[in-house]
Amino acid sequence: MRPSTPLYLSKPGLICCAGPSLEAFLCAALLKNTRGIAPSTLCLGNKTYPFLIGRATPSAQGPSRLLSLCATALQPLLPIVQKALQRYGPQNLGLCLGSCDNGTEASTPAHQAFFLNGTFPPGYALPLQSAARPAEFAAQLLGLKGPVLALATACASSASAIIRAAQLVASGVCAAVVAGGVDIASEVALLGFSALEAVSPELCNPFSKNRKGINLGEGAAFFLLSRERLEEEGEGVVLAGFGESADAHHMTAPHPQGLGAAAAMQAALLHAGIAPGEIGYVNLHGTGTLLNDEAEAKAMYAIFGDKQPPASATKPITGHTLGAAGALELALCWGVLQGDRTQVGVPSLPPPMPALPPHCWDGAYDTSLPPLRFVQAEGVESPQALQYCMSNAFAFGGCNTSLILRRGGGP
């Protein structure tokens, strides 16, 4: 059964290495533009670690890169948030923010100083590395006085934040909620994934037999969720359904058969009240690691069988933005569902520019995996035919999320 009241998602504000806006991100995804991923190195002691990293350059500068990215992504939402504040009042507007980073910009240099000098530097305090700090910052920036939640479910964090926001609105606790996530490619994250041998020395290659791991990226993306549609242009986009699961198979590895991922997708379909065949496009989690791609391919086959929907992985464009990935990739689905590219500021370029984001890889499919239907650069469906998109975000510890968007507000 479909939710009784649709929850509208505003046009998202975002920033990533593909660009500082939805328009730039959508254009980069449609053109398979991978210029945002660039070589970088990290020196620790006498060892140098080479990486490919998707650095996002925020327009706003400050002492905290994380908060600067957050502020930049929230900037486009200011007019609609102001409209919601005037209609509902600040006490009825909440915020849900997902992030993996726990203040590494403050804690890493502070602890380095402690190890060298035996004392923390002046001005350092534990709240600077609090998981709640970016959520508190965003709520203060926007003038929100309702519930403020910080979500830390690893790489599903911002998808979890959107689900929590939907529950706050649907339950009547809030009239509207700003939801999304932000993360940076910190030294801690780089070294952690390197220790897991999960970082690719070249452009990540999802679902290829030649895949070697992830490229890290950074970015932020946010929506305003509300019962009423507060925007006038376009057809509007609704959060039709969502699903979560926790298979807890392993601290860092997914269930080898993708059981948790399949359970989240199935739950999202049931919540949306639709059949698998109604999904017109899936943005895959698609990290490019051996285990995650295998689990997701098996989960996709468990849900869709031989009738796979068009699908693609866009992390080769943005890098894996960790806690921001769920919201960032949902923003891409939002742009795809708007149909006419001119509605989101992307010019209608002639063919072979595709209607859906093409899958980014070398074309050498891992034949040990169930077959998927990847979007190619030419000959794909028109976005006007799309009604539903699904976006997956899976995380360490077996935390799995799946979100379904619908075009328009009708049933």
Side-chain angles (χ1 to χ4, degrees), residues 387-407:
Q387 188 69 16
Y388 294 94
C389 287
M390 173 182 282
S391 183
N392 293 330
F394 309 133
F396 284 170
C399 180
N400 308 290
T401 60
S402 186
L403 305 171
I404 296 177
L405 296 185
R406 180 176 81 241
R407 179 203 300 271

Side-chain angles (χ1 to χ4, degrees), residues 271-297:
H271 186 225
I274 62 174
E278 296 183 68
I279 297 294
Y281 168 72
V282 177
N283 186 278
L284 300 161
H285 186 57
T287 62
T289 65
L290 292 174
L291 297 181
N292 277 277
D293 286 4
E294 178 183 9
E296 187 170 16

Side-chain angles (χ1 to χ4, degrees), residues 11-406:
K11 180 180 177 180
L14 64 85
I15 182 171
C16 63
C17 69
S21 65
L22 173 66
E23 293 80 7
F25 182 24
L26 184 60
C27 193
L30 292 173
L31 295 174
K32 292 179 64 173
N33 184 340
T34 58
R35 288 177 294 177
I37 308 290
S40 184
T41 58
L42 172 64
C43 297
L44 189 67
N46 58 0
K47 187 172 182 180
T48 299
Y49 297 83
F51 296 100
L52 289 177
I53 302 179
R55 293 285 189 196
T57 303
S59 58
Q61 300 295 325
S64 169
R65 187 171 186 79
L66 186 76
L67 300 186
S68 184
L69 290 172
C70 186
T72 302
L74 288 169
Q75 186 68 31
L77 266 63
L78 291 179
I80 196 167
V81 170
Q82 187 61 36
K83 186 175 182 179
L85 286 168
Q86 293 172 354
R87 180 170 299 187
Y88 306 123
Q91 301 294 338
N92 294 311
L93 263 68
L95 182 134
C96 296
L97 186 149
S99 181
C100 295
D101 190 87
N102 286 347
T104 57
E105 294 171 296
S107 63
T108 299
H111 283 81
Q112 288 174 341
F114 180 83
F115 297 145
L116 287 173
N117 307 318
T119 59
F120 289 110
Y124 173 73
L126 282 177
L128 295 176
Q129 65 182 71
S130 167
R133 189 178 180 225
E136 294 167 346
F137 166 82
Q140 183 177 12
L141 178 70
L142 298 173
L144 311 182
K145 303 296 184 180
V148 177
L149 304 182
L151 286 298
T153 53
C155 300
S157 294
S158 58
S160 296
I162 289 167
I163 294 173
R164 296 290 87 74
Q167 292 170 333
L168 287 173
V169 176
S171 65
V173 173
C174 294
V177 178
V178 174
V182 59
D183 248 324
I184 56 173
S186 67
E187 294 180 359
V188 173
L190 288 167
L191 292 172
F193 279 99
S194 180
L196 293 172
E197 299 181 348
V199 178
S200 175
E202 55 202 43
L203 194 67
C204 69
N205 205 358
F207 300 97
S208 167
K209 66 180 180 180
N210 301 315
R211 65 190 186 277
K212 297 179 181 179
I214 69 171
N215 305 137
L216 282 183
E218 58 187 15
F222 294 94
F223 301 84
L224 178 74
L225 279 71
S226 59
R227 287 177 179 268
E228 297 180 280
R229 188 174 173 213
L230 301 177
E231 292 175 312
E232 297 179 359
E233 63 276 4
E235 295 185 65
V237 175
V238 168
L239 181 63
F242 52 80
E244 293 179 288
S245 72
D247 58 64
H249 170 73
H250 186 270
M251 185 177 292
T252 59
H255 190 284
Q257 298 303 314
L259 298 185
M265 286 189 278
Q266 184 63 39
L269 290 166
L270 289 172
H271 186 225
I274 62 174
E278 296 183 68
I279 297 294
Y281 168 72
V282 177
N283 186 278
L284 300 161
H285 186 57
T287 62
T289 65
L290 292 174
L291 297 181
N292 277 277
D293 286 4
E294 178 183 9
E296 187 170 16
K298 290 178 178 178
M300 286 286 291
Y301 195 79
I303 298 300
F304 298 103
D306 293 328
K307 297 181 179 179
Q308 292 288 315
S312 62
T314 50
K315 285 182 174 64
I317 296 171
T318 63
H320 190 347
T321 55
L322 305 175
L328 185 63
E329 290 162 19
L330 191 71
L332 181 62
C333 291
W334 191 100
V336 166
L337 277 174
Q338 284 289 24
D340 183 359
R341 297 180 196 126
T342 60
Q343 291 181 0
V344 289
V346 179
S348 298
L349 299 180
M353 187 176 184
L356 299 175
H359 186 63
C360 298
W361 65 329
D362 62 3
Y365 189 66
D366 184 347
T367 56
S368 69
L369 306 180
L372 301 179
R373 182 185 171 192
F374 294 121
V375 177
Q376 305 299 319
E378 298 91 14
V380 298
E381 292 83 354
S382 165
Q384 295 291 351
L386 287 178
Q387 188 69 16
Y388 294 94
C389 287
M390 173 182 282
S391 183
N392 293 330
F394 309 133
F396 284 170
C399 180
N400 308 290
T401 60
S402 186
L403 305 171
I404 296 177
L405 296 185
R406 180 176 81 241

